[in-house]
Amino acid sequence: MSPWGMFVSTEGKMIEHINLHDPVTIIIDLGHEEIRLNATIRWAGTSVEHSERGFGFEFDEETKKLAEELMLEIDEEGTFFVPE
């Protein structure tokens, strides 16, 4: 994940139901608060960089600012966290 967007790998046939330009909302539960990141699907397929099927999306302008402020990261167990 970056302040501009995110790649999400998918399982099963989920990727077949995703179309370019579809709006999506990613909900991240941090325990003490819930963060909603709004985005648009910009790419779907097999990522050479990630060696996985999935999709990429671009955050809307408001979410770009939120993501940049939060700079969310993923720990070794695949859990989102907000760096101190």
Side-chain angles (χ1 to χ4, degrees):
M1 179 176 164
S2 76
W4 304 277
M6 185 176 196
F7 173 82
V8 176
S9 61
T10 59
E11 295 182 15
K13 296 186 178 190
M14 180 179 170
I15 199 166
E16 295 174 13
H17 302 287
I18 296 171
N19 298 304
L20 293 181
H21 310 295
D22 279 353
V24 295
T25 300
I26 301 299
I27 300 170
I28 301 173
D29 184 354
L30 297 174
H32 61 284
E33 74 177 300
E34 184 177 276
I35 298 170
R36 293 176 174 265
L37 303 172
N38 300 312
T40 302
I41 301 297
R42 296 293 184 214
W43 178 89
T46 301
S47 169
V48 174
E49 182 175 340
H50 300 95
S51 300
E52 292 187 35
R53 288 171 36 114
F55 61 94
F57 55 86
E58 178 182 23
F59 296 135
D60 66 15
E61 290 305 312
E62 184 177 327
T63 299
K64 283 180 186 177
K65 291 175 187 170
L66 175 60
E68 188 170 14
E69 288 173 16
L70 295 173
M71 285 306 296
L72 295 173
E73 295 183 18
I74 300 176
D75 66 15
E76 301 80 32
E77 293 155 4
T79 304
F80 283 102
F81 70 97
V82 179
E84 298 285 326

